[in-house]
């Protein structure tokens, strides 16, 4: 008998054998079929043609993550479903991802290829307790859903500055327009319901699993467990004076100086600004149409007094400031930009002492890069986020968080790069690598924490926290078998 005939025979035996390797389902397929039986077909989408599957796969702010194909998507409705899911995924040994709003730009933080996607989008319950002013909500809510829900009570919750972002924002700290008054979004957590990697459902608060509670206050999502319910301190929300002031780039120096002065000298915690410098890929024909500065100003109250005087005194193209409700405040950006930014998107971060000029160097380097690489991207921006002393004080007053934020004022800088989706073998890896190198070569403070929510995975942002070794211990305690560490994406604790 020839070698080929022997191989065919062996293949036939293997095919007929119930335990053969050729037909054994993959770990992901096993987990999906177990979950279809245990959770019921209604909570599991296995067909790539189902509307739920398509919607979960498409709904990422970094469109590249939509190219990954989960083997199935599950839609838990309660902590118990998440517990069943984690146990089945662990037993099958497959990869998985936890998705809330899908806005994190890092691959595999909330997306998975050939694994189980846990889409929390159906967990949208929310409530308000008028006697305690505490708000409770589930993780499938977007910030806009929550702001709209709490508005009739004259309250709001600490969350994103744009309404479409998901609740995972608060697990990475969470910078809000109200942060100068109340700290990071995670500082307002009072109690969390958490499904641990083991599947056990626990409470994390100052009195119950306080170490876990610390890790979840800004130490990153998908690391220590799955948060299935947030109870937070709500905040009053009346009328806000807010809008966008748009400048031509010839005012770059004046605007950046105004941001510096605001960061250093503004003493009114009700005032908040974010400065964004935007560049399109279109050639610079000296028409000043490819670059624009958009400033976001928000004042918690009807009269900002002189809080924004340094900005309004600079000649501008348009100033949309007016009285708004909080849901309107978080719906301010120019609609065109929101459309343009739906692409393969990358975030990177910098952090700066305000007494040094590194943030100015960062702006200069980014602008030079944007000019030298015209045609290689669709859009890029550089954004400055002041971290006020009142913010870090408010954080400390509530017990501090995983960042243990050094006293403000200082500045976070955020860089965004948008490139078209990789199609027909045209990839943008080269320009993305060049962008990464530009940011890496730009000086920044080494004794301040990077902003987890908008850092790229290779920036290893968690390691910039002074609490890093404590977080490593918390991670080892709550994920002792390295289940999350090895089977889902996210920050490294190594
Ligand atoms: C347009 C835009 C605007 C933004 N504005 C702000 C802003 O104003 N302030 C700010 O701080 N950040 C902002 N960000 C950054 C944003 O906070 C992060 O991208 C954040 O990770 C998004 O959370 P998500 O739920 O939308 O995303 P996802 O990608 O779904 O989740 C983010 C991470 O958290 C994990 N996770 C989510 N929910 C849970 C859970 N319940 N339990 C365990 N792990 C979980 C996920 O697995 C993932 O690793 C913005 C981002 C974008 C794209």
């Amino acid at each position: 008998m020839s070698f080929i005939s022997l191989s065919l025979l062996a293949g036939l035996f293997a095919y007929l054998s119930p335990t053969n390797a050729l037909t054994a389902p993959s770990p992901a397929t096993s987990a999906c079929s177990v979950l279809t039986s245990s959770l019921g077909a209604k909570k599991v989408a296995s067909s790539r043609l189902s509307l739920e599957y398509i919607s979960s796969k498409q709904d990422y702010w970094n469109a590249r993550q939509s190219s990954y194909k989960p083997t199935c998507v599950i839609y838990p409705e309660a902590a118990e479903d998440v517990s069943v899911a984690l146990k089945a995924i662990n037993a099958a040994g497959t990869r998985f991802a936890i998705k809330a709003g899908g806005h994190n730009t890092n691959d595999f933080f909330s997306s998975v290829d050939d694994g189980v996607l846990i889409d929390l989008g159906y967990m949208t319950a929310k409530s308000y307790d008028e006697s305690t002013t505490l708000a409770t909500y589930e993780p499938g809510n977007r910030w806009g859903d929550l702001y709209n829900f709490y508005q009739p009570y004259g309250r709001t919750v600490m969350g994103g500055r744009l309404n479409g972002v998901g609740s995972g924002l608060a697990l990475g700290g969470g910078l809000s327009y109200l942060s100068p008054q109340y700290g990071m979004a995670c500082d307002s957590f009072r109690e969390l319901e958490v499904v641990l990697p083991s599947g056990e459902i626990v409470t994390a608060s100052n009195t119950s699993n306080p170490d876990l509670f610390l890790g979840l206050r800004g130490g990153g999502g998908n690391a220590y467990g799955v948060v299935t319910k947030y109870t937070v301190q709500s905040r009053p929300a009346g009328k806000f004076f807010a809008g966008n002031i748009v400048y031509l780039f010839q005012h770059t120096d004046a605007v950046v100086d105004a941001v510096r002065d605001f960061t250093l000298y503004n003493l009114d915690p009700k005032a908040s600004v974010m400065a964004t410098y935007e560049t399109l890929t279109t050639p610079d024909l000296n028409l000043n149409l490819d670059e624009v500065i958009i400033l976001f100003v928000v004042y918690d109250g009807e009269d900002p007094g002189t809080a924004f005087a340094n900005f309004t005194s600079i000649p501008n193209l348009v100033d949309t400031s007016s009285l708004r409700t909080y849901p309107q405040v978080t719906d301010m950006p120019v609609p065109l930009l929101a459309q343009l930014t739906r692409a393969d998107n990358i975030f990177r971060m910098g952090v700066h002492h305000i007494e040094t000029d590194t943030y100015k160097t960062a702006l200069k380097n980014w602008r030079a890069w944007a000019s030298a690489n015209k045609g290689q991207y669709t859009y890029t921006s550089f954004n400055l986020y002041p971290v006020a002393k009142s913010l870090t004080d408010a954080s400390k007053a509530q017990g501090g968080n995983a960042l243990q934020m050094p006293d403000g004022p200082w500045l976070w800088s955020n860089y965004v790069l948008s490139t078209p989706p990789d199609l027909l073998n045209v990839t943008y890896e080269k320009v993305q690598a060049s962008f990464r190198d530009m940011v890496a070569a730009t000086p920044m403070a080494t004794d301040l924490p990077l902003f987890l929510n908008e850092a790229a995975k290779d920036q290893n942002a968690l390691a910039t926290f002074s609490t890093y070794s404590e977080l490593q211990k918390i991670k080892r305690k709550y994920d002792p078998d390295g289940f999350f560490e090895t089977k889902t994406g996210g920050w490294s604790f190594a």
Side-chain angles (χ1 to χ4, degrees):
M1 197 179 269
S2 71
F3 175 72
I4 293 178
S5 319
L6 272 175
S7 305
L8 283 174
L9 210 57
L12 183 66
F13 277 124
Y15 177 75
L16 293 174
S17 154
T19 56
N20 77 78
L22 289 177
T23 56
S26 72
T29 311
S30 300
C32 290
S33 66
V34 168
L35 286 167
T36 307
S37 314
S38 51
L39 294 177
K42 198 175 130 266
K43 294 180 190 167
V44 183
S46 296
S47 164
R48 290 184 182 171
L49 298 177
S50 84
L51 290 179
E52 287 117 321
Y53 182 98
I54 293 169
S55 160
S56 295
K57 185 172 168 304
Q58 288 312 113
D59 189 16
Y60 288 100
W61 191 68
N62 175 2
R64 188 165 69 187
Q65 303 198 61
S66 301
S67 64
Y68 303 128
K69 298 182 189 71
T71 307
C72 65
V73 185
I74 65 152
Y75 301 95
E77 291 177 5
E80 289 70 20
D81 291 345
V82 174
S83 170
V84 166
L86 289 182
K87 285 178 187 162
I89 290 166
N90 200 356
T94 182
R95 289 197 66 78
F96 73 103
I98 305 151
K99 179 185 181 197
H103 274 61
N104 195 292
T105 59
N106 287 302
D107 283 344
F108 309 125
F109 273 47
S110 55
S111 55
V112 63
D113 211 13
D114 188 18
V116 179
L117 179 62
I118 302 176
D119 187 335
L120 299 170
Y122 283 19
M123 297 183 67
T124 56
K126 41 201 165 297
S127 62
Y128 178 61
D129 182 338
E130 283 185 89
S131 64
T132 60
T133 67
L134 293 178
T136 296
Y137 58 83
E138 288 185 339
N141 289 287
R142 304 285 170 120
W143 294 108
D145 304 327
L146 296 171
Y147 300 151
N148 283 325
F149 179 81
Y150 293 110
Q151 180 66 20
Y153 299 101
R155 309 292 295 185
T156 194
V157 287
M158 294 292 290
R161 291 162 296 182
L162 284 183
N163 54 19
V165 184
S167 61
L169 167 145
L171 299 173
L175 196 54
S176 149
Y177 289 122
L178 306 180
S179 287
Q181 291 183 78
Y182 306 116
M184 302 295 284
C186 65
D187 291 316
S188 288
F189 288 173
R190 295 296 177 261
E191 187 177 287
L192 304 173
E193 178 185 76
V194 187
V195 185
L196 297 179
S198 64
E200 190 188 349
I201 301 170
V202 301
T203 298
S205 68
N206 276 331
T207 50
S208 173
N209 300 304
D211 50 357
L212 177 64
F213 192 49
L214 176 74
L216 291 165
R217 293 205 312 282
N222 71 348
Y224 323 92
V226 182
V227 179
T228 45
K229 201 184 288 170
Y230 297 83
T231 297
V232 304
Q233 178 57 60
S234 72
R235 307 295 178 181
K239 276 277 185 312
F240 290 77
F241 178 87
N244 291 126
I245 310 179
V246 182
Y247 306 92
L248 290 175
F249 251 68
Q250 68 203 61
H251 298 299
T252 296
D253 291 344
V255 174
V256 86
D257 285 345
V259 171
R260 176 203 58 207
D261 291 345
F262 178 87
T263 310
L264 274 173
Y265 305 121
N266 171 59
L267 292 176
D268 186 344
K270 288 178 184 290
S272 188
V273 303
M274 165 168 72
T276 72
Y277 300 77
E278 329 262 346
T279 298
L280 295 177
T281 198
T282 44
D284 172 16
L285 301 174
N286 284 331
L287 296 173
N288 275 328
L289 292 176
D290 62 325
E291 296 180 316
V292 77
I293 305 169
I294 305 179
L295 190 81
F296 291 69
V297 295
V298 175
Y299 190 81
D300 182 0
E302 299 195 11
D303 180 8
T306 56
F308 304 126
N310 279 355
F311 298 105
T312 49
S313 62
I314 303 169
N316 59 66
L317 287 176
V318 59
D319 180 348
T320 67
S321 302
S322 60
L323 290 186
R324 299 170 196 256
T325 62
Y326 200 61
Q328 290 166 341
V329 168
T330 59
D331 195 18
M332 285 200 307
V334 183
L336 174 65
L337 280 178
Q339 287 309 319
L340 282 173
T341 53
R342 283 256 158 208
D344 282 13
N345 292 323
I346 289 177
F347 274 154
R348 295 194 164 272
M349 282 304 296
V351 61
H352 311 273
H353 286 290
I354 194 81
E355 302 79 11
T356 70
D357 270 359
T358 58
Y359 58 96
K360 287 189 179 175
T361 311
L363 175 55
K364 206 169 102 230
N365 288 2
W366 164 78
R367 205 173 166 208
W369 184 93
S371 170
N373 288 278
K374 289 271 183 185
Q376 302 287 309
Y377 56 86
T378 40
Y379 157 89
T380 180
S381 75
F382 175 83
N383 310 303
L384 285 174
Y385 307 156
V387 178
K389 169 85 164 47
S390 59
L391 185 164
T392 54
D393 285 348
S395 177
K396 283 195 183 80
Q398 292 168 91
N401 56 37
L403 289 83
Q404 292 299 353
M405 304 174 85
D407 280 350
W410 37 275
L411 276 173
W412 270 320
S413 60
N414 155 268
Y415 305 76
V416 183
L417 177 69
S418 296
T419 51
D422 291 356
L423 286 173
L424 304 172
N425 290 333
V426 179
T427 80
Y428 291 85
E429 276 171 23
K430 217 167 135 197
V431 70
Q432 289 163 353
S434 152
F435 193 72
R436 176 199 63 210
D437 294 346
M438 177 271 295
V439 176
T442 297
M444 66 168 89
T446 51
D447 56 348
L448 293 172
L450 280 178
F451 185 38
L452 217 53
N453 274 343
E454 298 182 2
K457 177 163 166 98
D458 61 70
Q459 292 191 289
N460 208 6
L462 214 50
T464 65
F465 290 17
S466 60
T467 54
Y468 186 46
S469 58
E470 201 176 333
L471 296 176
Q472 286 173 311
K473 275 190 216 138
I474 297 169
K475 170 77 173 170
R476 277 197 296 275
K477 177 172 167 190
Y478 290 95
D479 185 20
D481 305 323
F483 166 37
F484 275 37
E485 182 75 20
T486 54
K487 297 296 183 204
T488 188
W491 299 107
S492 167
F493 286 79

